[in-house]
Amino acid sequence: MRIKIQKWGNSLALRILKAFAFQSKIREDEYVNLTLEENKIVIEPVEEKKYSLKKLVSGINKSNLHREIDFGNQVGNEHW
């Protein structure tokens, strides 16, 4: 299939057909790895790490726990 390369700012761009994006699991607003292999451009989806609050909180311990910081008295319309 022939696709026309077009100018986008100072770069070049191409459109990825919906069927190709679906089959390769490339989605809007997600990142891809772009590499050059033997003068060929290779685009691969990046597996995003999934974080859960439970897992993040489990990493808190005495050595990385921050103390409360006092910023002084309330000023203006601050309500705490």
Side-chain angles (χ1 to χ4, degrees), residues 1-53:
M1 171 178 298
R2 288 178 50 160
I3 295 179
K4 185 177 181 180
I5 302 294
Q6 297 178 323
K7 189 169 180 165
W8 188 8
N10 289 329
S11 301
L12 298 176
L14 62 90
R15 292 185 183 195
I16 299 172
L17 298 174
K18 184 177 180 178
F20 284 20
F22 179 78
Q23 192 170 359
S24 63
K25 298 180 182 173
I26 293 174
R27 305 287 180 260
E28 183 177 352
D29 293 327
E30 291 186 352
Y31 289 94
V32 295
N33 279 328
L34 184 66
T35 56
L36 190 61
E37 296 178 9
E38 298 179 18
N39 293 326
K40 294 180 182 179
I41 297 171
V42 178
I43 303 169
E44 297 175 300
V46 174
E47 295 280 335
E48 291 292 322
K49 292 182 180 180
K50 302 285 182 180
Y51 295 102
S52 70
L53 182 59

